[in-house]
Amino acid sequence: MNKKSLNIEYLEYDSVKLMNSEERDLITQADENLKNAYAPYSKFKVSAVCQMENGVVVKGTNQENGAYPSGLCAERVAIFAAKSQFPDKKVDKIVITTEQTTLSPVSPCGACRQVLIEYELTQNQPIELIMKSGDSKVWKFKSVKDILPFAFDGEFLK
């Protein structure tokens, strides 16, 4: 038997004001986009914005449905739209925000993590991930792999 450990590094900012202007702008865009979320059942609004390598920002919000499995998370709405509109461009960053103030940022669900890692692996370049909930601290990860270190890879299917 071998004992192994896993270390995940990320940056934690006490305030959005401590981040660079580009990151602050993306967070502002994500926060402003929260008004477009459709969350009449959970009241839990989530926004995600993808910054593409060409500088274009693609936005998404969570979209609920009375038949709960039919809804979709903001992260998947944003990245699916980004890759549909710009199939040959890489995603540099994704910023995820919620209205709820929590002690730490709310992180993506497992399905969203899997979708994000698929695009990261496909483009062979990390997608930087920034998360903020209400007035919480801000977390910044260099790669989606940092939040899903043992990801299922489509290569396993070959």
Side-chain angles (χ1 to χ4, degrees):
M1 173 170 71
N2 295 316
K3 182 177 181 179
K4 299 184 177 198
S5 65
L6 179 66
N7 182 38
I8 297 171
E9 292 185 11
Y10 61 97
L11 298 175
E12 181 179 78
Y13 295 85
D14 288 331
S15 169
V16 173
K17 295 175 185 174
L18 300 173
M19 303 185 82
N20 69 44
S21 61
E22 178 185 294
E23 293 165 343
R24 285 193 313 266
D25 179 58
L26 288 171
I27 290 170
T28 298
Q29 288 185 59
D31 282 344
E32 290 172 354
N33 191 45
L34 283 164
K35 69 183 181 295
N36 298 320
Y38 181 68
Y41 308 105
S42 72
K43 309 291 188 233
F44 191 81
K45 294 182 176 184
V46 182
S47 172
V49 297
C50 293
Q51 181 178 20
M52 309 303 291
E53 67 180 344
N54 61 359
V56 172
V57 174
V58 179
K59 301 174 184 177
T61 56
N62 60 320
Q63 300 294 308
E64 292 182 351
N65 189 283
Y68 264 88
S70 300
L72 200 57
C73 300
E75 300 90 330
R76 285 182 277 164
V77 170
I79 201 152
F80 289 161
K83 294 307 285 184
S84 293
Q85 294 172 39
F86 304 97
D88 299 325
K89 299 295 180 196
K90 294 180 179 180
V91 178
D92 285 338
K93 297 179 185 183
I94 186 166
V95 175
I96 304 160
T97 63
T98 66
E99 288 182 327
Q100 282 72 15
T101 296
T102 55
L103 294 176
S104 60
V106 175
S107 63
C109 72
C112 287
R113 291 174 193 225
Q114 184 61 44
V115 168
L116 293 173
I117 198 71
E118 175 90 8
Y119 285 108
E120 182 173 283
L121 292 169
T122 300
Q123 71 181 25
N124 199 30
Q125 174 184 308
I127 298 174
E128 190 175 274
L129 176 65
I130 298 172
M131 298 182 285
K132 180 185 83 68
S133 296
D135 294 326
S136 72
K137 296 180 181 200
V138 181
W139 288 350
K140 180 178 166 183
F141 298 84
K142 291 181 182 178
S143 168
V144 177
K145 285 181 185 177
D146 293 333
I147 65 166
L148 189 60
F150 298 105
F152 182 83
D153 186 340
E155 291 294 316
F156 298 142
L157 299 174
K158 294 180 179 175

